[in-house]
Amino acid sequence: MPLFLITCTDSDNSLEKRLAVRPQHLARLQALDAEGRLIVAGAMPKVHGNPQAGFYGSTMIVDFDSRDELDAWLSQEPFWLEGVYAKIEVKPFNKAFPQG
């Protein structure tokens, strides 16, 4: 399956909404992980260890059969639907390391 790098940029002043919607966001990622299609995912905090400082956004590397399938999945992303993310960029990704 092809891998994709997803870079999500948070909207301005989205911290409160991000924290409220986070359980739904994490549930979708946990389901993707259980299917073996989540390579890595995480938030990009403005200050390590201080979530109250806000976030630049999130980054994910995921495994989908096609870009169309990924786009369908992203269209239901709670952070996107609730306006936490202002922008989502997707690029193909070739994993080199770690091997195995």
Side-chain angles (χ1 to χ4, degrees):
M1 288 192 203
L3 297 179
F4 297 92
L5 171 69
I6 305 166
T7 305
C8 307
T9 304
D10 278 17
S11 300
D12 292 337
N13 303 311
S14 63
L15 178 61
E16 187 175 317
K17 196 176 289 186
R18 175 184 262 273
L19 297 176
V21 178
R22 189 170 185 261
Q24 296 96 311
H25 169 74
L26 291 180
R28 293 184 82 240
L29 290 175
Q30 287 169 341
L32 202 61
D33 188 39
E35 295 169 4
R37 299 189 313 160
L38 182 62
I39 309 306
V40 67
M44 297 178 290
K46 291 184 177 177
V47 178
H48 276 288
N50 182 6
Q52 293 305 314
F55 295 85
Y56 293 109
S58 304
T59 298
M60 298 173 255
I61 299 176
V62 296
D63 190 343
F64 276 86
D65 287 329
S66 68
R67 175 63 193 262
D68 288 341
E69 184 182 333
L70 171 58
D71 287 344
W73 183 81
L74 284 172
S75 74
Q76 298 305 306
E77 167 53 49
F79 279 178
W80 177 251
L81 294 173
E82 295 297 326
V84 174
Y85 292 153
K87 181 168 102 176
I88 297 176
E89 294 181 275
V90 176
K91 296 178 181 156
F93 184 79
N94 292 328
K95 180 183 173 218
F97 293 96
Q99 296 178 343

